[in-house]
Amino acid sequence: MRSPRRFTWVAFAFGAIAISSCSKTETRKPTFPVTGKVLLSNGKPAENASIVFHPIGESGPDIVRPRGKVGPDGSFKSTTYDTDDGAPAGEYQVTLELWLSSGRGDEGPTNRLPQKYGKSDTSGIVVTVNPSPTELMTIQLQK
């Protein structure tokens, strides 16, 4: 016969797993599709640049920061939880970085965009995501 103590421990463990998995989906914020375009100062697409949305007025380790990758034509789609699912509605400061190596093999990748675009407090790019599909105005980077 099985010990009641062992059964209690196993039931507790399964209950804890069930509760923790439910709570993760409950903390997800609703997301809305976000698309846009990023161009360099010469008008060419900022291909392979990473774009990150930093929510204004939120802080802490559990902040959701939607992100995306700029394609060959300069377009991007944002991702928060699942690929291309969008971003929660709200206002964001945007950062952009484009990490490339020289191709000579003697150094690691470096950010090819001006440093100001790599920090949310200096990028100067603020966008609003609506509680519906949002197409952002083209982001034109300056030197």
Side-chain angles (χ1 to χ4, degrees):
M1 180 165 199
R2 292 191 181 174
S3 139
R5 180 181 246 175
R6 187 177 205 181
F7 177 75
T8 303
W9 184 86
V10 171
F12 173 77
F14 280 116
I17 291 168
I19 289 171
S20 68
S21 65
C22 289
S23 65
K24 285 185 182 179
T25 49
E26 289 176 15
T27 59
R28 281 187 171 200
K29 296 179 179 181
T31 58
F32 305 92
V34 178
T35 57
K37 197 168 208 171
V38 182
L39 301 177
L40 301 171
S41 57
N42 61 5
K44 292 185 179 178
E47 183 176 2
N48 294 317
S50 296
I51 184 167
V52 180
F53 296 79
H54 304 267
I56 295 176
E58 292 186 32
S59 61
D62 296 331
I63 294 176
V64 174
R65 289 184 180 91
R67 55 192 65 243
K69 188 73 140 185
V70 178
D73 64 349
S75 67
F76 68 88
K77 294 179 182 179
S78 67
T79 295
T80 300
Y81 306 109
D82 301 311
T83 304
D84 299 340
D85 64 347
E91 262 198 318
Y92 295 88
Q93 291 174 301
V94 173
T95 58
L96 288 144
E97 294 179 316
L98 177 57
W99 292 90
L100 299 171
S101 62
S102 68
R104 292 178 284 196
D106 58 348
E107 61 186 52
T110 57
N111 184 10
R112 304 303 173 141
L113 298 179
Q115 281 188 331
K116 72 177 187 175
Y117 293 118
K119 296 182 181 178
S120 60
D121 57 342
T122 60
S123 76
I125 304 169
V126 176
V127 299
T128 300
V129 174
N130 301 313
S132 61
T134 302
E135 180 156 352
L136 301 173
M137 292 181 64
T138 298
I139 297 171
Q140 181 77 48
L141 303 180
Q142 302 302 318
K143 287 188 176 184

